[in-house]
Amino acid sequence: MTSARKCRCRKGAPLKRVFSIAPGNDVVECPDCGIQYAQLVPEPGEADESIYGYEYFRPELEQKVERRRLVFSALLAEVESFTGGPGRLLDVGAGDGALVRVALERGWSPEATDISSVMARHVGENLGIPAHHGPLEELSLESDRYDAVVLNHVLEHVSDPFTTLETVARLVRERGVVRVEVPNLGSLSSRWKSFQSRYRLKRNPWKHYATGHHYWYFTPRTLVHTMETSGLSVLSTRAPAQQWGEMSPWIRLVNPIFDRWRWGGHLVAYGRRAVRPRGAGQNSV
Ligand SMILES: [Zn+2]
């Protein structure tokens, strides 16, 4: 384990301790921007096989193929509403490649990255697309290359989301779009679980933080701040209780309200590369 990098806006005020994961490793909150994170994260190589081996992906691989196809088709249709159609896609943290498989069918030219060597190899061999192994910021990918960059439940796992998003801002084309989805710490359910954890009303307090493999915990406000600190401008955010697929009548009724007020568990943000100030490395044509 190594020390997590601090959030970028920290001005030296003492961090607030939220709870302790283990001796010497707390979940802390930045007093300036409010982002919460674990103080220790694994080294990149350490995380590869020990956390993200085949076993980590097994539940995902065994989920209904049809349901995941439906979810990823809807996700890509949403991305296409920003890009105007398929183009070059980068799926960061592609896992078993279910999203890039659907992207191929929809006419995209996808590429995948994954911190897991097992999964990068699996995707490359099965789909015949470029699949890069390693943390995004350590890969030598071409700048201004992608029409869409997708980070689907990835940013909460990385050692430093600011560096990851700065890399994303470099890779995405000027008119391209970035889609980030993370668990919503500001959801009604998370807030209730945090309340119960704080007052010891819960058998497994703080379990919803998933501290074994999540190191950064975002609310709508801190996700927007993180993206905007990292060279992206945010176009929209939403937080449905459930993403597409079969919904119970109850969820169908409350979902638009949850989405609108960012109360749901799936926090989604779209962004573009922020316009760089004149003379700051911008190529004039
Ligand atoms: Zn901060």
Side-chain angles (χ1 to χ4, degrees), residues 5-9 90 92 135-139 141-146 149 151 155 158-173 178 180 216 218 223-233 272-274 276:
R5 285 195 218 178
K6 313 275 185 294
C7 92
R8 293 290 162 85
C9 66
L90 183 67
V92 180
L136 185 69
E137 51 273 26
E138 288 176 18
L139 302 172
L141 300 174
E142 196 186 321
S143 299
D144 301 326
R145 180 174 167 82
Y146 303 96
V149 180
L151 297 96
L155 211 58
V158 303
S159 55
D160 180 4
F162 298 93
T163 315
T164 302
L165 291 176
E166 278 162 5
T167 309
V168 168
R170 175 177 71 75
L171 298 174
V172 70
R173 284 182 175 158
V178 177
V180 176
W216 294 84
F218 298 96
L223 179 60
V224 167
H225 183 264
T226 303
M227 290 172 73
E228 298 207 323
T229 311
S230 311
L232 296 167
S233 49
R272 276 200 202 293
R273 199 169 85 188
R276 293 173 188 138

Side-chain angles (χ1 to χ4, degrees), residues 208-261:
H208 57 298
Y209 276 67
T211 54
H213 49 272
H214 292 180
Y215 313 114
W216 294 84
Y217 317 100
F218 298 96
T219 63
R221 191 168 58 84
T222 59
L223 179 60
V224 167
H225 183 264
T226 303
M227 290 172 73
E228 298 207 323
T229 311
S230 311
L232 296 167
S233 49
V234 174
L235 300 170
S236 67
T237 62
R238 47 195 291 258
Q242 193 177 324
Q243 293 269 65
W244 309 296
E246 294 147 18
M247 291 186 197
S248 68
W250 164 243
I251 293 287
R252 199 175 293 276
L253 190 71
V254 300
N255 213 34
I257 304 164
F258 272 56
D259 200 348
R260 165 90 170 73
W261 291 97

Side-chain angles (χ1 to χ4, degrees), residues 7-10 30-35 225:
C7 92
R8 293 290 162 85
C9 66
R10 199 175 156 219
C30 164
D32 298 315
C33 71
I35 196 166
H225 183 264

